[in-house]
Each structure stands twice: as structure tokens, then as C-alpha cells.
Amino acid sequence: MSNPPQYRRPAYTDPAVFDQRVGGSDPAQISQAAHDTAHALVDQGRDAADPEITERFVRLAETEGIEAIAELWAHSPARSLAGALWRIYALRAAVQKSPERISEYCRLGRSNSAPSAIAGVTEPPSAEEMTRLADAILAGMYAGEIDVAFDRAGAFCRVIARGQALWADQHRLAHREARVLTEKATQLLGTAEELESAARAHRAGTLD
């Protein structure tokens, strides 16, 4: 992590959209590099057991740019440490981009059976609480149980997706806007399933 390369801060990327850019490098080498960097980063954070280092890794997207993280991990299989880690960073970037709107989706998506990912969040959930929650979920990768971090991220995706679908129903959106938001909710549910699958694989000792 010493003397990291500098990247131009990129435009926001929706967490449910994972680029499929075609590169000229050997795919096997790219896959191995993604695997190695993800494991090295997580292992370093967990071995240090230092809140300052955890905070540094949580804020990696601000210091290096979300695009730099995408270049490392976005093409990795969803059921891998690199792929799951990318999805959590992308989810956090989405919350940071529009915390007020995410808090509205959370308010709509919550129910009496809402998953533990949002336990302790007050009603109505504030934009600040959404940002803190996203940070806490990502911090769990470096200072908690990895499978729990994946499950919390997946549960959070489910709450937000439900809120998006309800928002589209309740706000008399134009047909195109409603369709786009409903599609995003469907994609986010897919992301939730991928993260939950990664959690199960980690518990079984089969996560790449």
C-alpha cells in the first residue's frame, strides 16, 4: 500500500452495473491479480487489527478512486473475495452519491421483518445514518466476520431494492422513469443474491 498510484477521480458507477470492458491483457493474469490483491488487502487489514488502518481501507475509493478499484476487481466472479469486495465498495459509493435518496428508499423498504443489516437505524432513517451504515458494512471486511459483512451488504441491497420498487409505485413516475427504477431494483436484488452466495461460500471454505 506504500506509494500508491494516483488515479483521476471517476464518474459515479451504479452498484448494480458491472463493466464488461474488453482489455488486451491475459485474462488469467488479470484474474490472478484480482485474487491476489483482494486477499492481500483484506489479510493486511485484518492482521493489523488497527482502527486507523480499517478506516484507511474503508476510504480506499476516495483516495484511489472507485474506477481504480473497478479495474482491479469488477471483472472477478461474484462468488469470489474480489468480486464481493467490489460490490460492497460500489454499494458504498452509491450511498455516498445520493444519501438522501437512499435514506428514502430505506424508509420505504423497511418492514417489521427488515434484516439485521439495518438494525439500530432510527425511523425515519437519515442520510447520515445511511453513510455510517455503508461504512460499517465495509469495515466488517477488515475488522469483523467476512461472511457477516457479505450478508449485511446483501440484506441492505434487499431493503433498498424494495424501497426503489415501492417508490416507483407511489410517486407517479413517468413510464420510462418507473421502468428504469424497477430495473435497478431487480439488478440490486441480483447483487444481494450474489453477496449472500459469497457469504455461504466463505462459511463453507470455498470462496476464491
Side-chain angles (χ1 to χ4, degrees), residues 68-138:
I69 295 174
E71 289 292 341
L72 285 174
W73 301 325
H75 304 296
S76 300
R79 190 165 166 158
S80 68
L81 183 65
L85 192 57
W86 157 242
R87 282 156 176 77
I88 297 179
Y89 271 106
L91 178 64
R92 179 178 179 271
V95 173
Q96 287 190 313
K97 178 68 177 180
S98 302
E100 293 85 3
R101 179 56 58 88
I102 295 294
S103 70
E104 285 295 311
Y105 294 152
C106 183
R107 180 183 62 79
L108 287 172
R110 289 180 69 170
S111 67
N112 291 335
S113 60
S116 60
I118 58 172
V121 175
T122 61
E123 183 65 42
S126 68
E128 292 77 13
E129 285 173 325
M130 291 297 95
T131 301
R132 285 196 296 270
L133 177 58
D135 284 356
I137 290 172
L138 180 53

Side-chain angles (χ1 to χ4, degrees), residues 26 168 200:
D26 182 348
R200 291 191 297 272

